[in-house]
Amino acid sequence: RTLPEHAAENRTRVAATRVLLIGIGSYNDPSISRLQYARRDVDDLHALLERRIQPRTRLNIRKIVDAEATRARIRTEIQEFLGGAAEADRVILYFSGHGTTRPPTDEAAGDGQARFLLPVDARLTDLGDTAIPFEQLNRWLAHVKARRLLVLLDACYSGGAADRVEGLIRAAGWLTVRS
């Protein structure tokens, strides 16, 4: 499909916009360095969305920052809040925090590295049980019914997320842009 065909298909009016903004600057694990601007990035994006989207459609934004951004809470918000969106809705997920890799496991991609997003309660010594593998994020997002889904990951190694959500992208016919 060409981009104009894709755009024409999606011209139907957006019923509502659901946004989940996640920003983690301080982690429980002292071996994970502090990020100075994660919370500010979430606040700035929140303000931008209120100015640009609020006037045209119903906007429902949830922010979870620092201590609130546990693995369990992130999972719940994606599955219940974003998962509760209707097909005609737009869904935006933004994550600003750390990402990391680890040597090959059963979750590793072709390059031999498993990639993870780090929630506030992640432990570098136990990534498998405390971090969010990109493949798990894919499984959580697969249940979002909205035809319009934008995922913005501001984290190290997030460029590899597109490789791991390929099935989700192909299934929905979405366009992927990464740098």
Side-chain angles (χ1 to χ4, degrees), residues 12-139:
T12 57
R13 182 161 166 72
V14 173
T17 300
R18 288 183 185 223
V19 181
L20 178 58
L21 303 173
I22 303 165
I24 309 166
S26 298
Y27 286 82
N28 297 345
D29 184 335
S31 65
I32 301 174
S33 63
R34 181 165 166 52
L35 293 173
Q36 188 172 355
Y37 300 109
R39 185 179 192 125
R40 188 183 79 181
D41 290 346
V42 163
D43 291 339
D44 288 349
L45 185 54
H46 184 188
L48 174 72
L49 292 170
E50 283 186 328
R51 281 193 315 272
R52 304 295 268 182
I53 293 177
Q54 184 82 27
R56 292 179 285 192
T57 185
R58 282 184 299 131
L59 180 62
N60 189 351
I61 298 178
R62 290 204 184 158
K63 289 193 313 186
I64 54 176
V65 294
D66 292 331
E68 303 169 337
T70 64
R71 185 180 196 278
R73 173 84 185 273
I74 292 170
R75 181 189 67 237
T76 298
E77 294 293 344
I78 291 172
Q79 291 177 333
E80 295 178 10
F81 175 60
L82 299 182
E87 192 174 302
D89 291 345
R90 172 181 25 219
V91 167
I92 300 170
L93 169 63
Y94 175 74
F95 178 91
S96 178
H98 278 296
T100 194
T101 63
R102 81 167 176 206
T105 67
D106 58 341
E107 295 181 14
D111 65 359
Q113 293 292 310
R115 289 178 171 84
F116 302 86
L117 295 178
L118 300 184
V120 71
D121 51 348
R123 291 186 314 275
L124 292 181
T125 58
D126 188 15
L127 292 173
D129 289 330
T130 63
I132 302 169
F134 287 173
E135 293 80 5
Q136 183 63 58
L137 180 64
N138 177 25
R139 289 190 291 273

